[in-house]
Amino acid sequence: MNAKSRVIVFGSINVDLVAEVDRLPGPGETIKTTRYSALPGGKGANQALAAARNGAVTLMAGAVGSDGQGPTALAQLRSAGVDLTAVGGVEGPSGLAMIAVDAGGENQIIVVSGANDAATCAHLPELGQSDWLVTQNEINWTETAQAHQRARGQGASVIHNTAPAHRLSAQDMAQINVLIANEHELTQAAGFEVARAVSPDEEARALLTAGVGAVVLTLGAKGAALYQGDEPVLTVPAVAAEVRDTTGAGDAFVGALAAALAAGEALPDAVATANRYAARVCEVLGAQTPPALLQTPEF
Ligand code: RIB
């Protein structure tokens, strides 16, 4: 294990306004419920929390607003020991996500960016050669792309989770050591027409040819697939879970994978570790479940 490796997450920090509903509303429809919670969230923050809970020395870089929501948004990160010195405070609202979760654990999410739009890579500390920078797509892409270039220039490695979906340029692809995407995000990242029938296998191989170091394709209940170099695809089956809320499961996967890589695990083992952790997170409400509710002593 490399004790000096850190996980540096640059990304979004939100408060999630979660309504539990029997079923998700259709367009123009109003649904009533009595079950509501305000919970910490944001893809970046969720990933940082997962990295810390999986044992990584973790720093979060991003921004919260002056609306009083910052302490709620940062509460779990703080208690997990995540370094928050690179989280800036800006005038105006914090990032908010309005989330409906149905009885089967499926969700609908609307994100209001707020302070996340002011997150800048100027907040990032100097990275070392053994560090892992983790990014997603909920903050300004120009800042994220600059962060990738800086990290690679400093000898660090880059894990990019292309969520929400975003098309990557050839230059972007060349900066990414590990790309994590679901099937829809993979298609968008590779720049293929969504309507055109191209297999995930071809899309992942196209990304590798374009310079991405490795592609991890997340497949929900079917697990994950790893594409690396010319090696045959490695499929890692999902871990059984009693799903209550899938919100943040992908983020938990990303953070756990980063922590495993920072701890020196090989990528195939890190994917298996991430699968196990994501399954546990699906069993409870919210993207940043308090450790006691995970009911898994190791977390
Ligand atoms: O991936 C789940 C996250 O997406 C939620 O926590 C919400 O804040 C949105 O960013």
Side-chain angles (χ1 to χ4, degrees):
M1 168 169 175
N2 185 345
K4 288 192 186 141
S5 295
R6 297 176 299 168
V7 173
I8 316 287
V9 181
F10 178 43
S12 57
I13 303 168
N14 293 337
V15 169
D16 291 352
L17 309 178
V18 184
E20 290 179 82
V21 293
D22 294 334
R23 62 177 179 81
L24 300 174
E29 190 181 9
T30 301
I31 299 269
K32 283 173 68 180
T33 183
T34 54
R35 301 183 301 277
Y36 163 80
S37 319
L39 303 168
K43 293 190 192 305
N46 298 341
Q47 292 173 7
L49 185 71
R53 285 189 177 161
N54 281 274
V57 175
T58 308
L59 178 140
M60 176 80 217
V64 293
S66 57
D67 56 357
Q69 299 280 9
T72 303
L74 298 173
Q76 289 292 336
L77 294 181
R78 185 165 279 120
S79 62
V82 175
D83 182 342
L84 299 176
T85 51
V87 175
V90 298
E91 274 303 309
S94 298
L96 286 181
M98 284 165 275
I99 303 180
V101 180
D102 75 11
E106 196 49 78
N107 64 38
Q108 270 178 354
I109 306 180
I110 297 171
V111 174
V112 185
S113 298
N116 291 307
D117 279 344
T120 159
C121 66
H123 286 130
L124 281 169
E126 183 93 1
L127 275 74
Q129 294 199 345
S130 62
D131 289 337
W132 292 84
L133 176 71
V134 177
T135 61
Q136 339 68 35
N137 282 332
E138 277 187 337
I139 60 171
N140 185 315
W141 175 254
T142 309
E143 296 294 328
T144 301
Q146 271 182 34
H148 290 176
Q149 280 174 18
R150 263 180 48 179
R152 293 301 301 269
Q154 292 166 355
S157 305
V158 171
I159 299 171
H160 179 60
N161 173 216
T162 179
H166 174 81
R167 182 172 184 165
L168 298 169
S169 69
Q171 198 188 2
D172 297 332
M173 293 178 196
Q175 303 294 336
I176 297 170
N177 297 90
V178 181
L179 181 78
I180 303 174
N182 64 24
E183 286 186 74
H184 168 71
E185 292 156 356
L186 186 75
T187 303
Q188 300 269 305
F192 288 102
E193 296 286 325
V194 176
R196 210 185 112 201
V198 175
S199 72
D201 208 75
E202 286 174 85
E203 292 167 349
R205 300 273 174 217
L207 283 158
L208 294 181
T209 304
V212 172
V215 175
V216 178
L217 175 63
T218 57
L219 297 163
K222 286 187 274 169
L226 170 63
Y227 296 85
Q228 250 184 321
D230 293 332
E231 292 170 33
V233 59
L234 176 78
T235 48
V236 181
V239 174
E242 281 185 34
V243 175
R244 170 150 184 228
D245 179 9
T246 55
T247 310
D251 305 331
F253 181 97
V254 173
L257 184 122
L261 291 174
E265 279 186 33
L267 196 43
D269 297 332
V271 172
T273 299
N275 249 354
R276 284 194 296 274
Y277 185 67
R280 295 287 75 76
V281 167
C282 284
E283 294 185 327
V284 286
L285 182 71
Q288 294 190 27
T289 310
L293 294 182
L294 281 173
Q295 292 178 331
T296 312
E298 66 204 84
F299 302 122

